[in-house]
């Protein structure tokens, strides 16, 4: 178990090494204050809670931040987890520290309708605070890093959910801030819980190969060092094995096993000046064979996160490819710690304002408008955290966009007016399609016209960046409300029919207010308009209210059905359930569940007397029950109900309509695994048009559990819809 004394000593060591001018008296005061406020709390491993703030403060100190940042780290959980107020922290430690703590504090006191909405609002709050003071997000990343380091003490469910958030948000955020060392550790720690089997295989493989790998790296390092020393270039050269997640990602993308993967070595050459970088590059290409197409110059064109370096991949005499990164010492510090490496503060705690230099922060805040809570994190992953492609305007301005972007994304990155007036594009001075994929170095010119009719709805499916998608939606929201209502109503009613529900059901006077409240809209026209301009999908809208409509229709049907007059008979104790179903008026018979609709407990059900196979149980909304009123078959339909027995598992199948992408099946399997149900079958089938159907068969105890799992599956990126399938 970790001790207070160990962490206290480690923090002091970090402060002496990285922040020698720190106000130690104020830091000691904050330690005592936090210790007192958290005294009644323990960590999951049973250690005193104060150990966590001490560890976070140590990480912040190692980033090279200032005294206020260390104080904010020490106090970061006080407002959220204790009776401490913003005013009290401000009185004791100053306004800046209070604002930092407030920025890191989650919105735990608010009421949210869904966990996705809570996550979205907490991220928005953090990003808003980050736009004013970048130290907020640096403290938050330090907080997440220590929590991920101690994740072994959490429940399996918490390990997976928090690790997924780390992989989706915090590791890419560290990358965007240029903090590669922390980014790599977050990736590895998250992978450990998201795919423990592959994580262990890679770790075991690296341990088994350790001596051989180290011998190879010593040999290459000696060759580089000897050559550079002979020409008088002062350098520091060292080799390393790429981290576990990087190897895992290469395996997934390239479809290779560990034994087939060779490009896992990287060497860094750190020199004194930029001219030395290019001189070293020439010597590296003289010593080893260049791999064509694998050279990148991030010195002349830095990444948006300030990263600068020369990258080249070469092959030595052993036939093994490896990467060489060449940079100056200043570039190296920035590559390791990003914005934290050069964040300096003026007297009085005023920031240098460098956060304004981050174009993606502005885009991040702009893209929050008109975004559904369930889509928010996916939008962040696409627009903020994907790999970049760098293209140029005709005047030479560099524009960074997510990989896979098109001229539409480029136009809206320049200005919304340019995008709305776009009628075509040129790439490298040649007319190009507006859905053409941009590549590094392209020179893009947008052709506009004052008579342009504005964006097309198809553009929402073509563009890659959330910035472009948001601006297109805003245009439709403002300019085309009536058209949006018509378009949205059509999509909504089509989805209702697809779900087996009558399109007019939501307009019921009694049911309508309840459904609108659940959808968070004031009127149906507002909902249709939102679907029309792309703020919400019809699939998600219907999915949220499907159960309520089904229950209401079932209740009305029961009220309309006349009850036959009969003398109540005593409860018959010998009546028993077969497969969890009781057939009314029949004591015992064979029961089978119809494969056309796979009913589960909680579904409204009916029975059909088959010839020689007992009673076949169908969902009440199954298409095969549509002719129950047919006089020729009316006598064969019987009333059935679920027995009040201990819950037992039932097979059910869901078919998911998806956009094809790598990792989709893994995401589906992860959701099923975290739901703790027995997975019996999982397969995927690719269809034309970059579409797929993923079929998943599993056991559930009732329809409530099924719908809960269905909702989680629909939250997966690129899962567009679902339906009950056949077993």
């Amino acid at each position: 178990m970790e001790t207070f004394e160990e962490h206290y000593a480690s923090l002091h060591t970090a402060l002496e090494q990285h922040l020698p001018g720190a106000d130690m008296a104020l830091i000691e005061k904050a330690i005592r204050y936090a210790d007192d406020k958290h005294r009644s709390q323990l960590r999951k491993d049973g250690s005193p809670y104060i150990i966590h703030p001490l560890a976070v403060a140590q990480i912040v100190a190692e980033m090279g931040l200032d005294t206020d940042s260390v104080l904010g780290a020490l106090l970061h959980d006080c407002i959220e987890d204790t009776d401490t107020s913003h005013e009290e922290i401000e009185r004791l430690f100053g306004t800046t520290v209070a604002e930092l703590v407030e920025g890191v504090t989650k919105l735990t006191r608010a009421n949210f309708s869904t966990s996705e909405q809570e996550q979205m609002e907490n991220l928005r709050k953090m990003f808003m605070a980050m736009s004013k003071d970048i130290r907020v997000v640096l403290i938050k990343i330090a907080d997440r890093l220590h929590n991920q380091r101690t994740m072994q003490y959490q429940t399996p469910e918490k390990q997976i959910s928090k690790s997924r958030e780390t992989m989706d948000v915090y590791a890419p955020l560290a990358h965007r801030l240029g903090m590669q060392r922390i980014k790599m550790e977050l990736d590895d720690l998250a992978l450990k819980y998201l795919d423990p089997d592959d994580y262990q295989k890679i770790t075991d493989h690296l341990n088994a190969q350790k001596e051989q790998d180290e011998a190879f790296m010593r040999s290459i390092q000696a060759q580089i060092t000897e050559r550079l020393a002979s020409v008088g270039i002062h350098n520091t050269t060292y080799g390393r094995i790429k981290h576990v997640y990087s190897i895992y990602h290469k395996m997934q993308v390239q479809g290779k096993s560990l034994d087939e993967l060779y490009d896992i070595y990287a060497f860094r050459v750190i020199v004194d000046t930029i001219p030395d970088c290019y001189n070293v590059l020439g010597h590296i290409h003289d010593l080893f064979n260049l791999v064509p197409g694998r050279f990148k110059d991030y010195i002349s064109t830095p990444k948006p996160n300030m990263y600068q370096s020369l990258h080249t991949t070469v092959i030595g005499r052993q036939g093994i490819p490896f990467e060489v990164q060449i940079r100056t010492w200043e570039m190296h510090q920035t590559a390791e710690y990003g914005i934290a490496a050069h964040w300096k503060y003026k007297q009085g705690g005023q920031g240098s304002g460098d956060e304004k230099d981050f174009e993606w922060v502005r885009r991040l805040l702009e893209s929050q408008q008109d975004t559904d809570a369930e889509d928010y994190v996916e939008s962040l992953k696409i627009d903020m955290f994907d790999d970049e492609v760098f293209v140029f305007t005709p005047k030479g301005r560099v524009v960074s966009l997510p990989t896979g972007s098109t001229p539409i994304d480029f136009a809206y990155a320049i200005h919304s007016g340019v995008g709305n007036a776009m009628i075509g594009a040129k790439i490298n001075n040649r007319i190009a399609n507006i859905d053409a994929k941009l590549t590094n170095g392209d020179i893009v010119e947008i052709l506009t016209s004052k008579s342009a009719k504005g964006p097309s709805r198809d553009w929402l499916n073509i563009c890659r960046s959330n910035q472009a998608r948001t601006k297109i939606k805003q245009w439709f929201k403002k300019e085309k409300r009536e058209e949006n209502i018509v378009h949205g109503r059509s999509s909504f009613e089509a989805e209702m029919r697809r779900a087996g529900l009558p399109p007019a059901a939501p307009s019921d006077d009694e049911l309508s207010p309840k459904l609108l409240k659940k959808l968070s809209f004031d009127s149906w026209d507002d909902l249709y308009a939102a679907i029309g301009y792309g703020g919400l999908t019809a699939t998600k809208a219907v999915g949220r209210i499907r159960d309520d409509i089904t229950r209401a229709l079932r209740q009305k049907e029961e009220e309309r059905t006349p009850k036959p007059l009969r003398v109540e008979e005593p409860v018959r104790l010998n009546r028993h359930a077969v497969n969890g179903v009781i057939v009314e008026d029949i004591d015992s018979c064979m029961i089978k569940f119809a494969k056309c609709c796979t009913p589960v407990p909680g579904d409204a059900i009916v029975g059909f007397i088959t010839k020689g196979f007992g009673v076949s149980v169908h969902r009440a909304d199954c298409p095969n029950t549509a002719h129950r009123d047919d006089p020729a078959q009316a006598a064969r339909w019987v009333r059935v109900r679920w027995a009040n027995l201990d819950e037992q598992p039932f097979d059910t199948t869901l078919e998911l309509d998806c956009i094809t992408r790598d990792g989709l099946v893994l995401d589906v399997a992860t959701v099923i695994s975290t739901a703790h149900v027995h997975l019996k079958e999982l397969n995927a089938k690719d269809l034309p048009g970059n579409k797929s159907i993923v079929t998943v068969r599993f056991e559930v105890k009732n329809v409530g559990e099924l719908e809960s799992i269905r909702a989680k599956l629909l939250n997966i990126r690129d899962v567009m819809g679902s339906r009950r399938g056949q077993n």
Side-chain angles (χ1 to χ4, degrees):
M1 185 186 299
E2 298 173 315
T3 67
F4 172 86
E5 290 75 15
E6 291 172 343
H7 280 276
Y8 181 83
S10 296
L11 173 58
H12 271 264
T13 301
L15 290 169
E16 289 172 2
Q17 183 177 351
H18 300 281
L19 196 58
D23 187 338
M24 294 306 301
L26 202 54
I27 290 174
E28 291 289 349
K29 178 182 176 181
I31 293 173
R32 292 192 299 271
Y33 182 85
D35 189 22
D36 179 63
K37 289 294 182 180
H38 292 295
R39 190 166 295 279
S40 61
Q41 297 173 295
L42 296 175
R43 296 279 285 168
K44 292 289 185 181
D45 63 352
S47 60
Y49 193 89
I50 187 60
I51 284 177
H52 173 61
L54 286 171
V56 175
Q58 179 185 337
I59 296 169
V60 167
E62 289 169 349
M63 291 179 184
L65 298 182
D66 63 347
T67 298
D68 282 346
S69 302
V70 175
L71 294 172
L74 288 168
L75 304 169
H76 77 274
D77 276 335
C78 285
I79 293 179
E80 185 176 327
D81 294 337
T82 75
D83 60 0
T84 304
S85 67
H86 180 283
E87 291 73 23
E88 185 174 357
I89 291 181
E90 184 175 16
R91 178 173 55 83
L92 293 173
F93 300 99
T95 302
T96 300
V97 175
E99 291 295 331
L100 290 175
V101 175
E102 183 65 45
V104 177
T105 300
K106 291 188 290 189
L107 300 171
T108 53
R109 299 188 181 96
N111 294 318
F112 300 104
S113 57
T114 64
S115 60
E116 290 85 4
Q117 186 183 9
E118 180 180 2
Q119 183 189 34
M120 177 185 71
E121 293 302 337
N122 281 319
L123 287 172
R124 278 180 171 166
K125 180 177 185 286
M126 181 181 73
F127 289 133
M128 286 297 293
M130 168 188 170
S131 70
K132 299 174 184 175
D133 193 330
I134 204 76
R135 292 174 294 181
V136 168
V137 80
L138 299 180
I139 295 171
K140 190 65 180 175
I141 287 173
D143 172 47
R144 177 51 62 101
L145 178 57
H146 184 249
N147 281 333
Q148 201 69 51
R149 285 174 176 174
T150 55
M151 195 60 69
Q152 68 267 30
Y153 301 109
Q154 298 288 350
T155 63
E157 294 82 2
K158 198 74 169 284
Q159 288 173 347
I160 291 175
S161 66
K162 289 297 182 183
S163 295
R164 172 58 60 194
E165 188 179 47
T166 295
M167 187 75 79
D168 287 347
V169 177
Y170 289 98
L173 189 54
H175 170 66
R176 270 293 190 171
L177 293 167
M179 307 164 70
Q180 297 308 309
R181 178 176 292 185
I182 289 178
K183 187 262 185 191
M184 289 190 293
E185 185 176 357
L186 287 172
D187 276 334
D188 285 355
L189 292 171
L191 181 64
K192 182 178 180 180
Y193 298 101
L194 294 175
D195 194 341
D197 291 341
D198 277 354
Y199 177 88
Q200 195 60 49
K201 286 178 185 176
I202 295 170
T203 303
D204 291 345
H205 177 84
L206 294 178
N207 288 336
Q209 294 283 111
K210 188 175 181 180
E211 289 187 12
Q212 180 179 334
D213 290 338
E214 288 180 348
F216 171 75
M217 288 189 292
R218 283 195 301 269
S219 170
I220 299 298
Q221 180 179 334
Q223 292 181 64
I224 296 173
T225 302
E226 182 179 343
R227 166 62 73 91
L228 298 183
S230 69
V231 295
I233 298 178
H234 180 257
N235 71 95
T236 298
T237 299
Y238 64 93
R240 62 179 179 86
I241 300 292
K242 294 186 177 179
H243 65 117
V244 176
Y245 178 76
S246 176
I247 295 172
Y248 174 86
H249 185 66
K250 282 180 178 290
M251 291 169 60
Q252 300 297 316
V253 171
Q254 299 177 16
K256 293 182 177 180
S257 66
L258 265 171
D259 294 329
E260 297 172 316
L261 207 62
Y262 292 104
D263 186 12
I264 63 173
Y265 306 97
F267 292 83
R268 286 188 182 140
V269 182
I270 307 173
V271 294
D272 296 329
T273 67
I274 291 177
D276 282 346
C277 293
Y278 291 97
N279 287 336
V280 169
L281 179 67
H283 288 289
I284 295 295
H285 288 169
D286 186 45
L287 278 171
F288 310 105
N289 294 321
L290 171 68
V291 176
R294 296 294 298 274
F295 168 67
K296 295 176 182 177
D297 184 349
Y298 294 121
I299 292 181
S300 62
T301 307
K303 290 187 176 184
N305 62 8
M306 304 169 301
Y307 179 87
Q308 287 184 285
S309 193
L310 298 177
H311 288 199
T312 186
T313 300
V314 295
I315 300 177
R317 295 190 187 93
Q318 299 92 330
I320 299 174
F322 55 90
E323 184 180 57
V324 181
Q325 301 170 358
I326 309 164
R327 59 181 68 147
T328 65
W329 280 104
E330 183 180 357
M331 294 173 190
H332 180 65
Q333 283 297 106
T334 300
E336 293 290 288
Y337 296 105
I339 191 170
H342 67 86
W343 183 258
K344 304 297 181 185
Y345 285 85
K346 301 174 184 177
Q347 287 295 90
Q350 296 299 315
S352 65
D354 285 356
E355 65 270 65
K356 294 178 182 177
D357 295 335
F358 286 81
E359 178 72 10
W360 64 274
V361 176
R362 180 184 63 78
R363 294 202 314 238
L364 184 83
L365 297 172
E366 284 183 357
S367 67
Q368 293 172 0
Q369 304 175 43
D370 301 313
T371 302
D372 186 55
E374 295 173 18
D375 294 331
Y376 184 66
V377 174
E378 295 303 324
S379 298
L380 292 180
K381 288 157 63 177
I382 292 172
D383 201 28
M384 298 302 121
F385 305 145
D386 268 10
D387 290 337
E388 303 98 345
V389 58
F390 299 96
V391 295
F392 297 89
T393 68
K395 293 184 178 180
R397 172 188 162 194
V398 179
V399 178
S400 68
L401 297 166
T403 298
S405 289
T406 67
I408 298 174
D409 299 282
F410 179 87
Y412 281 101
I414 300 300
H415 192 275
S416 57
V418 175
N420 294 337
M422 176 179 174
I423 59 171
K426 288 184 178 181
I427 300 177
N428 301 323
N429 211 30
R430 293 183 178 180
I431 295 293
N433 294 330
I434 60 172
D435 61 353
K437 296 293 187 291
L438 301 178
T439 59
N440 280 320
D442 281 345
I443 299 173
V444 185
E445 179 183 355
I446 302 300
L447 307 177
T448 61
S449 171
K450 292 181 180 180
S451 60
K453 297 180 180 180
S456 162
R457 294 184 189 278
D458 293 337
W459 291 12
L460 290 169
N461 300 320
I462 296 173
C463 62
R464 173 68 176 172
S465 68
N466 193 52
Q467 180 190 24
R469 195 171 289 112
T470 297
K471 289 181 177 179
I472 294 170
K473 290 177 183 178
Q474 288 171 349
W475 187 87
F476 277 105
K477 183 178 182 181
K478 180 180 178 181
E479 304 289 338
K480 300 283 185 178
R481 177 171 169 82
E482 295 305 318
E483 181 183 317
N484 291 337
I485 291 173
V486 173
H487 182 79
R489 181 195 292 271
S490 175
S491 298
F492 180 81
E493 292 180 349
E495 185 60 33
M496 287 283 289
R497 283 189 286 269
R498 182 179 174 184
L501 300 171
S507 59
D508 181 277
D509 290 341
E510 295 181 9
L511 186 59
S512 183
K514 178 181 178 182
L515 299 181
L516 285 171
K517 184 178 180 181
K518 192 162 189 178
L519 290 164
S520 302
F521 286 94
D522 295 328
S523 70
W524 289 107
D525 278 354
D526 289 344
L527 170 69
Y528 299 147
I531 295 173
Y533 72 75
L536 176 69
T537 65
T539 302
K540 287 185 177 178
V542 173
R544 291 176 186 173
I545 60 176
R546 180 193 295 112
D547 291 348
D548 300 87
I549 295 175
T550 301
R551 281 193 294 269
L553 292 174
R554 185 189 310 149
Q555 183 177 347
K556 289 201 170 189
E557 180 66 27
E558 291 174 354
E559 291 172 355
R560 283 197 298 266
T561 303
K563 303 284 191 298
L565 293 174
R566 63 178 183 179
V567 178
E568 292 293 333
E569 59 183 61
V571 176
R572 301 173 61 175
L573 298 179
N574 64 333
R575 178 171 293 177
H576 64 278
V578 179
N579 289 340
V581 171
I582 293 176
V583 181
E584 294 194 5
D585 300 324
I586 301 177
D587 285 340
S588 179
C589 66
M590 288 177 59
I591 293 289
K592 69 173 184 176
F593 294 104
K595 292 184 178 181
C596 54
C597 56
T598 60
V600 297
D603 284 329
I605 52 176
V606 295
F608 182 76
I609 301 174
T610 64
K611 296 179 180 179
F613 295 99
V615 173
S616 176
V617 178
H618 294 257
R619 294 208 318 266
D621 59 356
C622 176
N624 290 326
T625 69
H627 303 293
R628 274 181 283 172
D629 297 332
D630 183 353
Q633 294 189 349
R636 297 175 66 182
W637 290 100
V638 294
R639 296 170 66 90
V640 296
R641 60 184 171 86
W642 298 105
N644 293 321
L645 300 174
D646 291 338
E647 291 185 330
Q648 57 178 308
F650 289 78
D651 272 15
T652 191
T653 300
L654 285 178
E655 293 180 351
L656 306 177
D657 296 320
C658 310
I659 296 173
T660 305
R661 68 167 170 86
D662 291 337
L664 180 63
V665 174
L666 175 61
D667 288 347
V668 172
T670 300
V671 167
I672 297 297
S673 173
T674 56
H676 298 293
V677 295
H678 179 50
L679 177 63
K680 305 191 77 171
E681 181 183 348
L682 176 62
N683 59 67
K685 179 182 179 182
D686 288 342
L687 302 175
N690 198 36
K691 289 182 170 49
S692 302
I693 291 181
V694 176
T695 303
V696 54
R697 185 162 66 94
F698 52 96
E699 292 181 344
V700 293
K701 296 183 178 65
N702 52 54
V703 72
E705 185 176 34
L706 169 61
E707 291 305 323
S708 173
I709 295 170
R710 188 209 292 260
K712 292 175 181 176
L713 291 169
L714 287 171
N715 279 336
I716 297 174
R717 176 166 63 92
D718 295 329
V719 174
M720 310 307 293
S722 70
R723 58 185 168 275
R724 298 272 286 274
Q726 298 183 4
N727 280 342

